[in-house]
Amino acid sequence: RRVRIDVVTIFPGYLAPLREALLGRAIEAGLVELGVHDLRDWTHDVHQAVDDSPYGGGPGMVMRPQVWGEALDAVLAAGPARLVVPTPAGRPFTQATAQAWAGEERLVFACGRYEGIDQRVVDSYAARMPVDEVSIGDYVLVGGEVAVMVMVEAVVRLLPGVLGNPVSAQEDSFSDGLLEGPAYTRPVSWRGLDVPEVLRSGNHAAIARWRRDRALERTAARRPDLLDALPEDALDRADRAF
Ligand SMILES: COc1ccc(Cn2ccc3ccc(-c4cc(N)[nH]n4)cc32)cc1
């Protein structure tokens, strides 16, 4: 299954890293098609203006609807797609979102800058296609480009053939609802710190138990919200020790 990803931005160079390494190889392998478009290609004035002052006042500038409309009409002319607009005010982007989008044929990302894009752009496209306004976390970025990099990486790694070791959905971290525990490799002793004995014991039941305990411990310490969200039957008696 191929996915076509288009990104519209005033900083196309910001998306260059998507063509490196793993994702770059996925593009070369034809598993993903990536198109990055400069929003200013759809301006007609000498200053290539893409922003203007906000109605109602307030700080900063807002991105003009006309330019976005022409750009998205052009990009979307290639066929139906899901339109994704990163914003601090969006619904949370989660692994479940990535899973859902990995099944899409086409994703179009609209990267805003300034204080965001005139709301009528989202409203006008939402009338004819799925439009998701999403946040990648509770912190404020300067534009949508970094958020798009995060989301594209989270989605593309789920596509068959992209990862060397295809991590099946249920094994992927965050899918058993707990955080990953600590990982170790050689040497067995490093700067006076040793690898936990159990991991070298060959006792696979004990190893599985130890890893689960470390995951529960870490989740309780760092993300108690994930523990609270676990379904009732997710923790067995041995788990409840934490
Ligand atoms: C407070 O209101 C603001 C509105 C916009 C901005 C700058 N900005 C412009 C476009 C754009 C797209 C996404 C994001 C973003 C997404 C997440 N999770 N954090 N920040 C930020 C963005 C700053 C603040």
Side-chain angles (χ1 to χ4, degrees):
R1 179 183 50 216
R2 295 162 62 99
V3 182
R4 164 88 198 175
I5 296 174
D6 286 285
V7 185
V8 182
T9 166
I10 57 171
F11 295 121
Y14 229 93
L15 282 297
L18 284 178
R19 297 191 189 281
E20 294 292 316
L22 186 108
L23 300 193
R25 284 200 299 278
I27 294 169
E28 283 157 21
L31 296 170
V32 181
E33 265 183 77
L34 175 67
V36 180
H37 312 272
D38 187 340
L39 179 69
R40 294 193 200 276
D41 289 356
W42 286 277
T43 57
H44 309 294
D45 61 311
V46 69
H47 299 295
Q48 298 196 307
V50 293
D51 64 306
D52 201 341
S53 305
Y55 275 116
M61 304 290 272
V62 175
M63 298 190 95
R64 304 169 59 215
Q66 304 96 324
V67 185
W68 273 107
E70 289 191 30
L72 291 175
D73 285 351
V75 170
L76 290 164
R82 172 177 295 273
L83 177 61
V84 178
V85 183
T87 164
R91 293 173 192 269
F93 174 81
T94 65
Q95 190 63 22
T97 320
Q99 290 282 1
W101 292 357
E104 297 279 353
E105 282 185 19
R106 277 199 76 201
L107 297 169
V108 176
F109 291 92
C111 296
R113 282 266 157 168
Y114 306 99
E115 296 304 305
I117 303 172
D118 184 298
Q119 189 61 39
R120 289 169 292 181
V121 175
V122 161
D123 297 348
S124 69
Y125 287 97
R128 56 184 130 137
M129 69 185 64
V131 179
D132 293 306
E133 292 183 87
V134 287
S135 162
I136 61 163
D138 292 338
Y139 37 81
V140 181
L141 303 170
V142 180
E145 286 79 8
V146 167
V148 167
M149 306 269 285
V150 164
M151 296 188 283
V152 166
E153 179 161 318
V155 171
V156 170
R157 70 179 283 275
L158 296 174
L159 300 177
V162 170
L163 284 184
N165 54 332
V167 186
S168 58
Q170 67 273 9
E171 282 154 26
D172 208 356
S173 70
F174 279 83
S175 39
D176 69 352
L178 299 178
L179 300 181
E180 285 298 296
Y184 302 87
T185 186
R186 287 177 292 192
V188 77
S189 188
W190 178 73
R191 294 192 179 178
L193 300 170
D194 299 348
V195 171
E197 278 290 325
V198 65
L199 298 179
R200 301 173 56 238
S201 69
N203 178 340
H204 299 289
I207 289 169
R209 181 71 258 163
W210 183 88
R211 284 178 166 163
R212 176 113 178 137
D213 290 347
R214 296 295 73 72
L216 286 160
E217 202 172 56
R218 178 174 278 188
T219 308
R222 298 178 184 177
R223 291 292 305 278
D225 58 299
L226 290 179
L227 275 192
D228 298 342
L230 282 178
E232 185 54 37
D233 59 350
L235 300 180
D236 62 31
R237 183 184 311 280
D239 292 338
R240 294 184 189 286
F242 290 93

